[in-house]
Amino acid sequence: MVERQSNDPDLDAIFGALAHPTRRDLIEQLAGGPKSVGDLAEPHDTSLAAVSKHLQVLEDAGLIEVEKDGRFRRCHLEAAPLSDAFGWLTRYRVFWEDRFDALADHLEADDR
């Protein structure tokens, strides 16, 4: 079993949070700047409670930060976990590009 360092990103939580279309949409909304929970919930055909649960998943994954000021909550996008996920995906993109290049070379060699 591999032990995770305390500063290692929790890719399972990050990708799990991004797996739901509503949460991806919330991330898109926050990419434009901080927003209140009410502003985030407005374009969705779900209850405020449901949006709050989605926001909690995003917060638990470290993708957003929620500032509380009394009853008012403002959400901010945290880019570092997205960068961690992108870094992981990039390693596999390079892997597959290398595989496809090798396949293309092989097919071209067979055509000669």
Side-chain angles (χ1 to χ4, degrees), residues 13-43:
I14 294 167
F15 285 118
L18 294 173
H20 196 281
T22 298
R23 293 192 287 266
R24 289 192 305 272
D25 187 62
L26 292 168
I27 292 289
E28 287 285 329
Q29 288 177 264
L30 289 171
K35 295 197 180 331
S36 70
V37 173
D39 289 341
L40 289 168
E42 189 176 319

Side-chain angles (χ1 to χ4, degrees), residues 5-62:
Q5 299 289 331
S6 61
N7 59 350
D8 285 349
D10 186 354
L11 292 174
D12 292 342
I14 294 167
F15 285 118
L18 294 173
H20 196 281
T22 298
R23 293 192 287 266
R24 289 192 305 272
D25 187 62
L26 292 168
I27 292 289
E28 287 285 329
Q29 288 177 264
L30 289 171
K35 295 197 180 331
S36 70
V37 173
D39 289 341
L40 289 168
E42 189 176 319
H44 298 279
D45 191 26
T46 57
S47 68
L48 185 60
V51 170
S52 291
K53 287 181 182 183
H54 285 299
L55 291 171
Q56 186 63 54
V57 172
L58 292 170
E59 186 177 20
D60 291 346

Side-chain angles (χ1 to χ4, degrees), residues 97-109:
E97 284 175 353
D98 289 347
R99 295 289 177 144
F100 288 134
D101 289 344
L103 177 61
D105 292 343
H106 176 73
L107 293 174
E108 287 174 9

Side-chain angles (χ1 to χ4, degrees), residues 53-95:
K53 287 181 182 183
H54 285 299
L55 291 171
Q56 186 63 54
V57 172
L58 292 170
E59 186 177 20
D60 291 346
L63 291 163
I64 67 168
E65 181 180 318
V66 179
E67 291 179 14
K68 298 174 185 171
D69 183 16
R71 293 180 59 194
F72 185 76
R73 296 187 306 154
R74 181 167 291 287
C75 302
H76 305 266
L77 182 62
E78 291 293 325
L82 291 173
S83 179
D84 294 333
F86 179 74
W88 186 86
L89 289 169
T90 298
R91 285 186 297 185
Y92 290 95
R93 180 188 60 117
V94 169
F95 169 79

